[in-house]
Amino acid sequence: MAKKPVQFRLNGDEKAAFVDDGQNLLDVLRRGVGDLTPKYGCGQGTCGTCTVLIDGEPRLSCLTLAETVDGHAVTTVAGLADGATLHPLQDAFMCHFAAQCGYCTPGMLIAAKALLDRNPRPTREDVVEAISGNICRCTGYEAIINAILDAANAASGSSYARG
Amino acid sequence: MPVRVETYAGLDEAAGALAANSAARFFAGGTLLMRAINEANPSFDTLIRATDPALKEIRLEGDAIVVGAACTMNEIMAHRELAFLAPVARGIGGPAVRSAATIGGNLFAWSPFGEMTTALLALGATIRFAGHGGQVAIDEFLSNRDRYRGQIVRSVSVPRISDPSAFRFLKVTRVKPKGAALISIAVRIGRPGSGETRIAFNNMNPVPTRALAAEQALQGGSLDEASVSRAASLATDGMNPPTDALASDWYRREVAPVHLKRVLLGRT
């Protein structure tokens, strides 16, 4: 079966890959261009650990047909930090010990970024809603919710916006 | 499983390609079909896509709102004229699912999914097909859904609801704030004395189904305690709920009348 060429912008860098018919974006990110930060969880759209941003919208990369990102911008958790400087959300996750096994963390961070990009002053209810598609089996969510709220409180609009 | 993907600019071309291949499925948001691919589901070998902008339009047409089949739950939530459907869309998956899941795809969702379709059934929507497929009432569509898999849904025509209290929706889940529905209920309240009240359940039959006996009990009457109790007692007539990991058929039969009564009395 013929492969299709796909070009997209990944965390600010131009990427090109040949994708198979029916191949999902997660597979292309992990095996095609070597970004191992989005994780494969359920493959059913239930756990959220493969969440990425496509043109700023949260999407499940395991359920995204790879060829549909041609010409679009993809952001993974690898694109959050500015060099050695962590993104405010990453700082807050560390401060609040919001990761244990860490498997859900990439999806949680991206879901949180999608929320704060749209709503820099979320309520607790907003945060719960924003991560409602992401499953964590370790922390019980409280530390994650507190970290996201703390990142929103600590980072006023301009400093948060650097992510 | 190798899958072939064919992309067409025009809906009519895509409709022709889909009609010509019984092992093809039309691909919209991907939340159901990519899942099937990830699970190596062998029931199809071709995905047909269309990039036609008609699939994305939302426009007013008389007393109805025409919603393109590829409009996502997020796009429905963001549209002012569709505010009455926002609670339904918001109840579907998390934000990342709602960025991809479409109104057209939801029409083919299997149990326990299909909340939007349940709402559309209560509202009395009309399904329009691409090519020469014409249009059908959603009642007819759902009673023969497999027959329509070879056609592309172009749009869904939804009656406008000006009075927000005339449409009610409840998704019953065990996991809050999100989780697959045990059942969901959508009700369009008819005008007192004249209008037809439509009640639709999801997960009480293999496809979303109207509770016709309960509807009959409410015709022409007001939503007082006695008439609502009478309707609730008839809620499960003709229903054959599934037993699955979420609930048994017995449990669904027990709770459906209780939740319907709460919805009709505005006590959710």
Side-chain angles (χ1 to χ4, degrees), chain A residues 4 21 24 43-44 58 62 129, chain B residues 3 5 38-39 98-99 178:
Chain A
K4 294 174 179 170
D21 269 0
N24 65 49
Q44 299 182 345
C62 77
E129 164 63 28
Chain B
V3 174
V5 182
N38 291 341
E39 293 171 347
R98 296 196 294 269
S99 300
K178 291 291 184 296

Side-chain angles (χ1 to χ4, degrees), chain A residues 1 4 21-22 24 40 43-45 57-60 62-65 67-68 128-130 132-133, chain B residues 2-5 7 27 30-31 34-35 37-39 49 74 94-100 177-178:
Chain A
M1 195 165 286
K4 294 174 179 170
D21 269 0
N24 65 49
Y40 187 94
Q44 299 182 345
E57 284 285 307
R59 293 282 299 273
L60 298 168
C62 77
L63 297 185
T64 301
L65 190 62
E67 64 189 77
T68 63
V128 170
E129 164 63 28
S132 60
Chain B
V3 174
R4 180 180 167 81
V5 182
T7 303
F27 184 91
T31 57
M34 288 304 292
R35 174 182 179 149
I37 290 174
N38 291 341
E39 293 171 347
R49 295 178 60 222
N74 278 347
V97 168
R98 296 196 294 269
S99 300
K178 291 291 184 296

Side-chain angles (χ1 to χ4, degrees), chain B residues 128-151:
Chain B
R128 296 180 181 179
F129 298 97
H132 302 293
Q135 62 183 45
V136 297
I138 191 166
D139 305 64
E140 157 62 19
F141 171 82
L142 288 171
S143 63
N144 293 285
R145 188 165 66 172
D146 283 346
R147 213 180 75 199
Y148 294 100
R149 286 192 189 280
Q151 295 190 52

Side-chain angles (χ1 to χ4, degrees), chain A residues 26-115:
Chain A
L26 177 63
D27 199 40
V28 171
L29 290 173
R30 290 181 61 83
R31 296 203 297 178
V33 299
D35 184 342
L36 299 177
T37 57
K39 307 301 183 197
Y40 187 94
C42 64
Q44 299 182 345
T46 306
C47 75
T49 195
C50 67
T51 307
V52 300
L53 300 179
I54 300 178
D55 297 337
E57 284 285 307
R59 293 282 299 273
L60 298 168
S61 58
C62 77
L63 297 185
T64 301
L65 190 62
E67 64 189 77
T68 63
V69 302
D70 190 40
H72 294 272
V74 177
T75 304
T76 69
V77 79
L80 294 195
D82 181 7
T85 306
L86 292 181
H87 188 279
L89 277 165
Q90 292 171 307
D91 269 337
F93 268 56
M94 288 184 67
C95 289
H96 285 269
F97 198 58
Q100 288 191 34
C101 90
Y103 207 80
C104 74
T105 307
M108 288 288 187
L109 283 165
I110 291 292
K113 178 170 165 52
L115 168 69

